[in-house]
Amino acid sequence: MTTAQAPYKLYYWPVPFRGHFIRFVLAYLEITWEEETDPDTIAELKMLPCPEQPVPFMAPPLLCDREHNFHVNQLQAIMGYLGRKHGLMPDDPVLAALTDKVLGDCGDVLEELTCNCGEAMWSPVGWADFSGKRLPRWMQIFEELGRRHGLSKNAGTLLGTPSLSLADLATAALWHPMCETLPGFSDLLQQEAPLISALTQRVVQIPQIEGLLQQQHTRLGKVYCGGEIEKSIRLMLDTEGLKCNPQGGS
Amino acid sequence: MTTAQAPYKLYYWPVPFRGHFIRFVLAYLEITWEEETDPDTIAELKMLPCPEQPVPFMAPPLLCDREHNFHVNQLQAIMGYLGRKHGLMPDDPVLAALTDKVLGDCGDVLEELTCNCGEAMWSPVGWADFSGKRLPRWMQIFEELGRRHGLSKNAGTLLGTPSLSLADLATAALWHPMCETLPGFSDLLQQEAPLISALTQRVVQIPQIEGLLQQQHTRLGKVYCGGEIEKSIRLMLDTEGLKCNPQGGS
């Protein structure tokens, strides 16, 4: 590795979505990284015959660890690799498994919100079920996990670790971009998962994450996941809204 | 743990799909487990308010490690937990990350084949794209990963580990149930990924996996993932088939 080169290179579309999970971790660790966000370059890499790819893969994010000339895709694999290498994965096997569970849950929420990354577009009936039932339920799942590990409004972590771990950064990287860019999500999270809402706020107020978000906001604007599916989500939010129940419960 | 109780309890629908990943690992390790497959019981557990669930979760599989009274959901988290506990996860961080990548890829294939676990049904247009492009590409991704790690027709492992690891068991648990239950998949895998086809065969010929499959076949019959989505896949296979190209390439 030459000093001119950042230790990591991230290949991802110019949107938050899955990318912010990795950006949150690297920014938190104060590790510099280079980013390839040009859609044509990424699309080309993605379409190469497998033998010509740096690692055979279907879709970004893709991370290169330049020190080891190691490429890996799949968000959960990238997060686990960075977490273990840089001390953000708990040593305790139970907490490590719960971290993987949180990463898996995050992935499921991302897939559901975007109809499997835009494979279909939202219909009002599907949206009503998602926004009125499954989305609140996902929020409650995070809330209850935190509650069981001593998370409070003003302190604590998702898994009760003495300092922030991968699970906290992933939680904030999941909920913050939604709450920031999609109308109504912030209120819904506050209603269904007040401890998670507060944890997310604490994470994004860490100076290096705050700096990242300012820089990304300037660069990307108010985009969430981009593409036709973001238009479909916004159409639903405009016409159907979030089936927010101010009495709580669901 | 009393001797009358198996060390693990798996909660999963009475189908292969995600369940076979965990069953393959436990059977390979010759560890006994109890299984709760009653759909009503599982649905009830899944619908409980989060504070009443053993771990707050959206959907099975759910595993209980009775020794630690520890419950965890999310296939990748369960596999990682079992793999690390029982020596099936490589110690090398690069191979561990590639194992997580393989598990993530497996999860994506399962989701794609089943339209996100039945959220939509297949249309002929969608099926043509999946079966003619994405499915062969997935097979090639596995093939190339194995090739780079020295996998051959008669020997070797997906990641070049000296003995079978989680990645090999997951690979077999992904492809074998499809090839066994869905017409045409076996030929397509043989065409697009002959090394993976051979590895899968080697894994399912291990006596304890062979025993598991015989027992499961008696219990479950020729089901793959069940539900309306399996009917939709079979309808596509009957009417559209797999767009198998005997010249290879894609």
Side-chain angles (χ1 to χ4, degrees):
Chain A
M1 175 180 106
T2 71
T3 49
Q5 278 196 318
Y8 291 101
K9 183 168 180 179
L10 172 64
Y11 298 80
Y12 194 64
W13 314 113
V15 297
F17 204 52
R18 290 198 174 89
H20 268 26
F21 287 75
I22 301 160
R23 295 177 188 123
F24 271 41
V25 168
L26 292 171
Y28 179 73
L29 292 165
E30 301 183 83
I31 292 171
T32 56
W33 73 98
E34 184 187 339
E35 214 167 300
E36 177 58 74
T37 55
D38 175 54
D40 291 341
T41 307
I42 293 171
E44 204 175 309
L45 191 62
K46 182 173 162 338
M47 300 305 288
L48 280 176
C50 294
E52 295 170 32
Q53 291 184 313
V55 63
F57 78 107
M58 182 63 94
L62 174 74
L63 186 78
C64 173
D65 178 349
R66 282 182 164 136
E67 191 191 346
H68 299 284
N69 190 28
F70 171 56
H71 291 77
V72 65
N73 71 307
Q74 285 289 354
L75 181 55
Q76 224 171 311
I78 295 171
M79 294 288 280
Y81 179 73
L82 291 174
R84 288 193 167 83
K85 184 166 170 186
H86 299 289
L88 289 176
M89 179 67 90
D91 291 329
D92 176 63
V94 159
L95 296 184
L98 288 178
T99 300
D100 278 337
K101 171 246 195 316
V102 168
L103 292 171
D105 284 351
C106 287
D108 283 355
V109 176
L110 297 178
E111 289 284 308
E112 281 193 33
L113 172 60
T114 59
C115 297
N116 224 352
C117 296
E119 258 181 40
M121 295 295 124
W122 279 111
S123 69
V125 172
W127 180 259
D129 183 63
F130 172 69
S131 69
K133 290 187 191 156
R134 291 186 64 95
L135 180 59
R137 175 79 178 191
W138 278 120
M139 292 173 172
Q140 293 158 15
I141 284 172
F142 278 80
E143 184 78 354
E144 176 62 15
L145 192 64
R147 203 193 56 73
R148 288 189 196 183
H149 292 93
L151 184 63
S152 77
K153 268 283 181 81
N154 302 310
T157 58
L158 190 73
L159 300 179
T161 52
S163 56
L164 289 184
S165 80
L166 214 51
D168 303 289
L169 294 168
T171 299
L174 175 68
W175 298 113
H176 180 74
M178 270 181 225
C179 291
E180 268 294 285
T181 59
L182 302 175
F185 275 68
S186 179
D187 288 347
L188 188 66
L189 186 65
Q190 173 58 37
Q191 173 186 299
E192 298 292 344
L195 301 178
I196 295 300
S197 177
L199 171 66
T200 298
Q201 279 311 308
R202 289 201 295 281
V203 171
V204 300
Q205 281 161 11
I206 296 165
Q208 53 274 39
I209 306 279
E210 202 173 24
L212 167 77
L213 289 170
Q214 279 168 3
Q215 179 207 77
Q216 295 281 323
H217 183 74
T218 308
R219 199 164 66 102
L220 307 177
K222 275 276 185 189
V223 68
Y224 174 62
C225 57
E228 291 304 308
I229 187 62
E230 178 158 347
K231 291 182 200 161
S232 176
I233 294 169
R234 290 189 184 280
L235 178 66
M236 288 299 125
L237 288 169
D238 283 350
T239 55
E240 310 289 321
L242 283 177
K243 299 281 179 288
C244 218
N245 165 14
Q247 308 310 313
S250 72
Chain B
M1 177 179 104
T2 70
T3 49
Q5 279 196 318
Y8 292 101
K9 183 168 180 178
L10 171 64
Y11 299 81
Y12 195 64
W13 315 113
V15 297
F17 204 51
R18 290 198 173 88
H20 268 26
F21 287 76
I22 301 160
R23 295 176 187 125
F24 271 42
V25 168
L26 292 171
Y28 179 71
L29 292 165
E30 301 183 84
I31 292 171
T32 55
W33 73 98
E34 184 186 340
E35 213 166 303
E36 177 57 73
T37 54
D38 175 53
D40 291 340
T41 306
I42 293 171
E44 203 176 309
L45 191 62
K46 181 173 164 336
M47 301 305 287
L48 279 177
C50 294
E52 295 170 31
Q53 291 184 314
V55 63
F57 79 106
M58 183 63 95
L62 174 74
L63 186 77
C64 173
D65 178 349
R66 282 183 164 135
E67 191 191 345
H68 300 283
N69 191 27
F70 172 56
H71 290 78
V72 66
N73 71 307
Q74 285 289 353
L75 180 56
Q76 224 172 311
I78 295 171
M79 294 289 280
Y81 179 74
L82 290 174
R84 288 193 168 84
K85 185 167 169 184
H86 299 289
L88 289 176
M89 178 67 89
D91 290 328
D92 176 62
V94 159
L95 295 184
L98 287 178
T99 300
D100 279 336
K101 171 247 194 320
V102 168
L103 293 171
D105 284 352
C106 288
D108 284 355
V109 177
L110 297 179
E111 289 285 308
E112 281 193 34
L113 172 60
T114 59
C115 297
N116 224 352
C117 296
E119 258 179 43
M121 295 295 123
W122 279 110
S123 69
V125 172
W127 180 259
D129 183 64
F130 173 70
S131 70
K133 289 185 191 156
R134 292 186 64 96
L135 180 59
R137 175 78 179 193
W138 277 121
M139 291 172 172
Q140 292 158 16
I141 285 172
F142 278 80
E143 183 78 355
E144 176 61 16
L145 192 65
R147 203 194 55 74
R148 288 190 197 184
H149 292 94
L151 184 64
S152 77
K153 269 284 181 81
N154 302 311
T157 58
L158 189 72
L159 301 178
T161 52
S163 56
L164 290 184
S165 79
L166 214 51
D168 303 290
L169 294 168
T171 298
L174 175 67
W175 298 113
H176 181 74
M178 270 182 226
C179 292
E180 269 294 288
T181 59
L182 302 175
F185 276 67
S186 179
D187 288 348
L188 188 65
L189 186 66
Q190 173 59 38
Q191 173 186 299
E192 299 292 342
L195 301 179
I196 296 299
S197 177
L199 173 65
T200 298
Q201 280 309 309
R202 289 201 295 282
V203 171
V204 301
Q205 280 161 12
I206 296 166
Q208 54 273 40
I209 306 278
E210 202 172 25
L212 168 77
L213 289 169
Q214 279 167 3
Q215 178 207 77
Q216 295 282 323
H217 183 74
T218 308
R219 198 164 67 102
L220 307 176
K222 274 276 185 190
V223 69
Y224 174 62
C225 57
E228 292 303 310
I229 188 61
E230 178 157 348
K231 291 183 199 160
S232 177
I233 295 168
R234 291 189 184 279
L235 178 66
M236 289 299 126
L237 288 169
D238 282 351
T239 55
E240 311 289 321
L242 283 178
K243 298 281 178 288
C244 219
N245 165 15
Q247 308 309 311
S250 71

